[in-house]
Amino acid sequence: MAGIPAGLLGAVPTYALLRDAHPLGGDVFPAPAAVAWMAVAQALTGGGVGGEPRKGLPVEAQVLMVCAAVATLLFRTAEVLGRVYLQGPGRLQPGLSSQSQGSVRGAKRRKIARALANATQWLPSPTSCGIGCIIPPEFSVAIAAGAAASGWWQRRDPNSHEQHAYIAASGLLAGAGVTGVLTAVAGLASGSGGGG
């Protein structure tokens, strides 16, 4: 409970410091999540600033959004069904229950479910793909490099990975945050803050 007020007392002055040193959304502090959602809001509302006509999304973009939503639903459904199948026999119903073990139809369904379960291991996460499309490339590369390193570590030493992976990731994130604050302080001290 003490972490919440401590975080508030630290976060607000830090935000003010960063805002004064460098504009959020600029080169030094790109604020990818905020900028991405601002771009989405502007695209969906269509602007209309200063008496200009409102411009919505082009028809092609709307079609692509529907296609992406359908693909996401299919991917997530396949992933969930694959996980259910991998948990053990008889979890998918009714075609994969023990009652259909001897039937041709049940065998076909089991074969399809097994293939689905194997394929889901290679399906990309739709959420990750979407985030990768809206954040700057350097963040996507850093995330991909971290995921690759984590996967290598997990295969090499699963026990060590289980115990220390979250701690290592938290340390890297905290280090990046502290470095950003120190950069802002150095920028203010040298008088170079506030520029775009």
Side-chain angles (χ1 to χ4, degrees):
M1 290 295 287
I4 295 173
L8 268 172
L9 292 174
V12 173
T14 302
Y15 171 76
L17 176 69
L18 295 177
R19 183 197 60 211
D20 292 342
H22 304 285
L24 292 178
D27 291 336
V28 178
F29 293 107
V35 172
W37 285 114
M38 181 180 71
V40 169
Q42 288 173 343
L44 292 176
T45 58
V49 179
E52 296 176 6
R54 294 176 58 84
K55 302 174 186 173
L57 287 174
V59 176
E60 296 84 0
Q62 295 175 17
V63 171
L64 287 174
M65 286 174 62
V66 170
C67 291
V70 170
T72 299
L73 287 173
L74 291 175
F75 277 11
R76 297 300 291 170
T77 301
E79 184 179 353
V80 169
L81 291 177
R83 284 183 183 171
V84 169
Y85 177 79
L86 291 174
Q87 288 176 0
R91 295 298 181 94
L92 289 182
Q93 308 180 38
L96 298 175
S97 65
S98 58
Q99 300 171 352
S100 62
Q101 293 290 329
S103 70
V104 174
R105 187 175 175 188
K108 286 182 179 178
R109 288 187 182 179
R110 284 193 302 278
K111 186 175 181 180
I112 290 170
R114 189 176 297 112
L116 186 65
N118 291 332
T120 56
Q121 298 177 18
W122 302 102
L123 286 177
S125 164
T127 305
S128 299
C129 290
I131 291 172
C133 289
I134 61 175
I135 63 175
E138 59 268 19
F139 290 101
S140 297
V141 170
I143 291 169
S150 178
W152 175 82
W153 183 8
Q154 185 176 24
R155 282 190 302 277
R156 186 176 174 97
D157 190 352
N159 291 332
S160 173
H161 181 271
E162 181 71 25
Q163 293 177 0
H164 304 295
Y166 290 112
I167 297 170
S170 299
L172 289 171
L173 288 171
V178 170
T179 302
V181 171
L182 293 177
T183 302
V185 170
L188 283 176
S190 66
S192 63

